Amino acid sequence: MSNRPNAARHLTLVIELGVIILGVLMALTAESWWDGRLDRRLEREYLQDLHGEMLATDSALVFAISMD
């Protein structure tokens, strides 16, 4: 009977370790999701800026060609 409390203690420790690991995995998943959202937002902003610069360059080229 003396093994029974020891086995229960081990089971409790394994369960606690499992909960900790699950919490860490959830935190890493949430961080990855958030980083992905941030990356997509930065990509959109970059592409919008690039599009604006290309439109300005196109206008400048059309003007330069028309002046020749």
Side-chain angles (χ1 to χ4, degrees):
M1 284 283 190
S2 64
N3 277 343
R4 184 70 76 188
N6 201 15
R9 178 71 178 143
H10 288 313
L11 179 62
T12 302
L13 291 175
V14 168
I15 291 172
E16 288 177 6
L17 180 62
V19 169
I20 291 170
I21 291 172
L22 183 62
V24 169
L25 290 175
M26 288 173 59
L28 290 172
T29 301
E31 182 182 18
S32 175
W33 172 78
W34 187 257
D35 287 345
R37 286 177 46 94
L38 178 61
D39 288 345
R40 285 188 296 279
R41 183 178 62 87
L42 292 173
E43 178 185 15
R44 263 193 318 275
E45 290 174 2
Y46 174 76
L47 290 174
Q48 287 172 347
D49 291 345
L50 185 61
H51 180 70
E53 290 175 12
M54 289 186 73
L55 289 176
T57 300
D58 184 54
S59 296
L61 285 173
V62 168
F63 178 75
I65 291 171
S66 69
M67 294 305 287
D68 279 344

